[in-house]
Amino acid sequence: MGRVALVTGGTRGIGEAISKGLKEAGYSVAANYAGNDEAAAKFKEATGIPVYKFDVSDAQACEDAIKQIESDLGPIDIVVNNAGITRDKMFHRMSYEQWTQVMRTNLDSMFTVTRPVIEGMQSRGFGRIIAISSVNGQKGQMGQSNYSAAKAGVIGFAKALAQENAAKGITVNVIAPGYIGTEMVKAVPADVLNSKIIPQIPVGRLGEAEEIARGVVFLASDEAGFITGSTLSINGGQYMA
Ligand code: NDP
């Protein structure tokens, strides 16, 4: 097939499953990460997928790294904007730093990573942009005003970009995962997980990273060309948007 996919935060958690799923589907994949060299090296060794260390909140770093990836692998056809962080705090105790860190990593990254590839996709007449939002961007979550705002922003971004590019062979879609059993969620204390979080999920369990990856692989395919500007909720029935 020869198509090239960039997965931000593609070395751990949901991103790792997405990188592997796209590779299995025949794409040439580049996986980005921020600073965990050990996890990235392990991932690279296990999968053979090349890794690129850069901060998605740094516009210049993204531009430079994307040039490098395109020179190594070829033009990027698929971008999965997956990298994300949490800095949870009740709003009245939240620092400006906690607010901006989440905004920059989770929302500014939509610009910094997508802007350098969009014109190439337009000129080639094909592109797939897939952003990972969250159920908490759809419904809001106590203690996550920063994260909920950024993740809701991702949905608005995708709808606008989808309209601009619908006639150019580029689709822009969002996946909004519910609670998935990655390190981000396993950092939540077990009693909170068992007494508060899992009871809210009608399917009765956390999701698996591979369940998000399968959605990404579908949205990246040629067969999904009529789907754009949409948000696919993969949350075990927790919130039906
Ligand atoms: P993890 O914490 O397991 O992995 C995060 C990945 O993102 C890592 O590869 C990390 O790199 C990378 N990353 C973080 N910050 C940056 C940055 N500034 N620049 C580049 N890469 C960065 O996260 P998850 O797999 O749990 O989450 C993935 C996405 O899914 C996030 O956007 C998250 O908000 C969303 N999500 C997750 C849910 C869940 O239940 N887990 C639920 C709903 C949404 P490094 O390894 O170097 O730290």
Side-chain angles (χ1 to χ4, degrees):
M1 174 194 303
R3 282 190 180 140
V4 175
L6 165 62
V7 183
T8 67
T11 57
R12 287 199 292 121
I14 293 173
E16 176 178 3
I18 294 171
S19 298
K20 289 181 183 165
L22 287 169
K23 185 181 180 197
E24 273 163 31
Y27 297 92
S28 176
V29 179
N32 147 262
Y33 71 106
N36 189 335
D37 297 318
E38 201 185 323
K42 221 169 111 189
F43 165 87
K44 186 181 173 190
E45 170 82 28
T47 63
I49 294 171
V51 296
Y52 294 85
K53 180 176 176 175
F54 59 93
D55 178 355
V56 295
S57 71
D58 179 337
Q60 191 60 52
C62 290
E63 213 179 303
D64 296 345
I66 285 168
K67 270 199 195 116
Q68 186 61 52
I69 294 166
E70 295 201 316
S71 131
D72 294 348
L73 305 179
I76 294 171
D77 304 297
I78 293 119
V79 165
V80 186
N81 283 313
N82 164 77
I85 57 167
T86 52
R87 295 288 181 271
D88 296 356
K89 234 355 166 227
M90 293 297 276
F91 183 70
H92 59 274
R93 296 208 189 98
M94 187 178 287
S95 66
Y96 183 59
E97 184 64 13
Q98 288 165 332
W99 173 267
T100 50
Q101 275 181 1
V102 169
M103 283 297 161
R104 293 180 42 161
T105 305
N106 297 9
L107 186 57
D108 287 8
S109 58
M110 298 299 129
F111 180 89
T112 57
V113 177
T114 313
R115 181 66 186 83
V117 300
I118 193 79
E119 288 174 276
M121 289 179 177
Q122 288 173 339
S123 66
R124 294 187 301 278
F126 179 88
R128 295 283 185 265
I129 296 160
I130 301 158
I132 307 300
S133 175
S134 166
V135 65
N136 293 344
Q138 295 172 298
K139 70 171 188 56
Q141 176 60 41
M142 185 155 53
Q144 289 197 323
S145 56
N146 50 0
Y147 185 84
S148 298
K151 292 297 189 180
V154 165
I155 296 173
F157 164 75
K159 287 179 176 173
L161 196 65
Q163 290 175 37
E164 291 182 13
N165 289 282
K168 296 173 183 152
I170 302 169
T171 67
V172 188
N173 290 291
V174 175
I175 292 184
Y179 287 95
I180 308 299
T182 65
E183 279 168 43
M184 186 186 264
V185 164
K186 285 177 185 153
V188 175
D191 59 318
V192 176
L193 210 54
N194 292 325
S195 67
K196 295 220 167 84
I197 293 178
I198 291 177
Q200 294 170 27
I201 307 171
V203 167
R205 62 170 175 85
L206 297 176
E208 289 169 14
E210 291 71 22
E211 292 177 301
I212 306 304
R214 281 195 280 276
V216 171
V217 171
F218 171 64
L219 289 172
S221 69
D222 282 341
E223 290 74 15
F226 203 55
I227 304 174
T228 195
S230 75
T231 297
L232 176 61
S233 300
I234 306 182
N235 62 27
Q238 186 194 347
Y239 182 74
M240 301 185 185

